[in-house]
Amino acid sequence: MKQNNLLLNISDQQLQQAGLTRAQARKSLAALDYRDNDVFRHVMNAENPVSRKILTMYLSDLLHRRIVWIGSEATEPVKANFREKGVRYDVMVRIRDDQGKPMLVNLEMQNYRMAESLSLRSQGYASRMVSDQIEVGGSFDFIPVLQIMITKRMPEMKVSREYLHYHRYTNEKTRKRMPKERCRTLWIEMEKTQALERIPTEQWRISDKITYMLRYSRDPKKQKIIHELIEKEEVIRMMEEKRRDFLKDTSYAIARMRMKYDEMDEKTVYKKGIEKGMRKGVKKGVKQGMVQGIIKGKVSLLKELLRQKWELTERDEKELDNLNEEEVNQIVQVLNRINTPKDLHDQLKKLSDSKRQAENHAQFAFSQD
């Protein structure tokens, strides 16, 4: 597989600022699989014929209904107010089956350490899917929604050998669970698909094969089965082609940068070199210096990726240097849509307007007090 050179062309200084060696960068890129959010979105986003076919086959088999139409929805809803927690769906689609019944479906790839908050997260996402359909003065009727949470393992489901688990909401009057067609969450435990190995792959459902691929595509111990699936299943071959396309696109560099950002955010700002007993003021200064260093490293990587698209002006450089950490992260979240200087200026203006709105709101609240 041909490796893309976009991230590897970044200077040694840039890689050092990000805390990456060139060998680490190559190793990380080679291991990129469907559990990475950006790869998952690229393969399953339904914004092109190949992805639509993959997703249609997956959902049709998973939901036991023949889907005849599928269309992409906005994955980043507009906030109603600046204090509202942001939401970014992984893959949001609107589907219609052969009976003409519509449904709004969101697939979330949850392959990270926040296992203790997955239940609350799923409820928040499903609630947002419903609330976005309801308008002031209108009825409370909404298109049925389905939240699909694809995760590694759910500890509370140890007693079950199945890897699919449905959760439905309860009607407060009748105390009966609402029909499956209204509002529900489907949990998919990728780890439990390993049990499928006890039976021939010919007996697996297509949804079994796709879920197995999502989990074990890069697992060396599973390559014999993976190769067999790729040889026999058109949909699995298409998934691999889409993953390879992703590695040839700038999106993969963005994905690696986002992952590195997460790692940098999780690191403690106190290093081993800070001796015990140092004065509080010194510790505070070291902490602030390290935070500033992390921000500069992020901005530096961001500018380098933008230079792959156009030559940054002095104004561009200055505006990017003035961003704080939260603003840099917000720019990274929409980096796929920034392809021209105008796109960048529009995003910077949005950040500036949002900051000004927050300041005005704070001033107004203070004056009211």
Side-chain angles (χ1 to χ4, degrees), residues 192-354:
K192 287 187 179 179
T193 56
Q194 186 171 344
L196 293 168
E197 298 171 10
R198 292 195 290 265
I199 59 177
T201 55
E202 290 80 4
Q203 298 179 24
W204 297 13
R205 293 171 49 187
I206 193 64
S207 58
D208 296 334
K209 297 173 183 178
I210 292 176
T211 306
Y212 190 92
M213 193 70 178
L214 293 176
R215 172 60 184 90
Y216 295 113
S217 65
R218 306 297 295 168
D219 188 334
K221 296 180 181 178
K222 310 294 183 183
Q223 285 310 299
K224 184 176 180 180
I225 295 176
I226 295 298
H227 180 73
E228 181 181 347
L229 292 176
I230 293 176
E231 288 291 312
K232 295 181 179 179
E233 297 294 338
E234 179 189 8
V235 66
I236 303 298
R237 285 198 299 274
M238 290 190 295
M239 288 176 66
E240 272 298 273
E241 289 170 5
K242 290 290 292 181
R243 190 183 71 86
R244 291 190 179 100
D245 288 343
F246 181 83
L247 292 177
K248 297 176 184 177
D249 193 274
T250 55
S251 297
Y252 100 100
I254 296 168
R256 299 319 308 171
M257 187 171 70
R258 285 178 182 163
M259 290 179 69
K260 193 59 194 174
Y261 281 7
D262 291 340
E263 292 174 13
M264 294 165 79
D265 290 338
E266 290 172 1
K267 286 180 180 177
T268 177
V269 294
Y270 296 106
K271 299 292 186 178
K272 293 181 179 178
I274 300 178
E275 298 178 1
K276 293 182 180 180
M278 292 181 69
R279 293 192 303 271
K280 184 176 180 181
V282 175
K283 287 186 178 180
K284 184 176 181 181
V286 171
K287 178 179 178 180
Q288 290 175 344
M290 293 180 70
V291 170
Q292 288 301 315
I294 289 174
I295 296 173
K296 286 183 179 179
K298 291 184 176 184
V299 171
S300 183
L301 272 177
L302 176 59
K303 289 195 292 188
E304 189 62 35
L305 283 173
L306 290 175
R307 289 192 191 101
Q308 300 287 342
K309 302 180 181 182
W310 74 85
E311 186 66 29
L312 293 177
T313 65
E314 186 176 342
R315 174 194 169 189
D316 294 336
E317 298 261 2
K318 185 175 181 180
E319 289 186 327
L320 290 170
D321 287 336
N322 290 332
L323 296 177
N324 60 36
E325 188 170 17
E326 182 180 354
E327 291 168 339
V328 173
N329 290 337
Q330 289 183 41
I331 289 290
V332 171
Q333 289 296 320
V334 296
L335 201 50
N336 285 331
R337 301 203 297 267
I338 300 179
N339 298 304
T340 66
K342 184 180 182 304
D343 295 336
L344 175 62
H345 298 155
D346 289 344
Q347 291 298 329
L348 292 172
K349 186 177 184 303
K350 286 182 181 179
L351 290 176
S352 177
D353 292 344
S354 177

Side-chain angles (χ1 to χ4, degrees), residues 41-164:
R41 294 186 188 106
H42 183 81
V43 173
M44 310 286 276
N45 60 21
E47 292 179 357
N48 60 75
V50 175
S51 291
R52 276 197 298 274
K53 188 170 184 179
I54 295 171
L55 197 53
T56 299
M57 294 179 71
Y58 187 46
L59 293 178
S60 293
D61 190 61
L62 202 61
L63 305 180
H64 302 284
R65 60 172 68 186
R66 191 165 72 87
I67 296 172
V68 297
W69 179 85
I70 186 168
S72 295
E73 293 286 309
T75 57
E76 297 182 61
V78 178
K79 290 185 179 182
N81 61 77
F82 77 95
R83 296 178 63 85
E84 185 176 333
K85 184 174 178 62
V87 168
R88 188 189 185 199
Y89 302 112
D90 281 350
V91 177
M92 169 76 80
V93 293
R94 190 179 295 254
I95 64 175
R96 187 170 62 248
D97 63 16
D98 56 355
Q99 302 297 315
K101 296 179 179 179
M103 178 178 284
L104 200 59
V105 180
N106 176 46
L107 295 90
E108 289 291 316
M109 175 57 72
Q110 302 294 322
N111 188 53
Y112 61 105
R113 291 179 294 279
M114 294 175 61
E116 70 279 0
S117 64
L118 283 180
S119 179
L120 291 175
R121 188 181 181 90
S122 70
Q123 293 176 57
Y125 275 48
S127 299
R128 184 63 180 264
M129 291 165 66
V130 173
S131 64
D132 282 347
Q133 300 184 52
I134 299 173
E135 298 180 355
V136 176
S139 69
F140 281 91
D141 194 22
F142 57 88
I143 296 174
V145 301
L146 173 63
Q147 172 67 50
I148 299 178
M149 302 291 283
I150 306 174
T151 186
K152 292 171 65 176
R153 191 70 180 262
M154 298 173 64
E156 64 273 22
M157 294 293 184
K158 288 181 180 178
V159 295
S160 174
R161 293 184 178 180
E162 299 296 325
Y163 71 90
L164 298 176

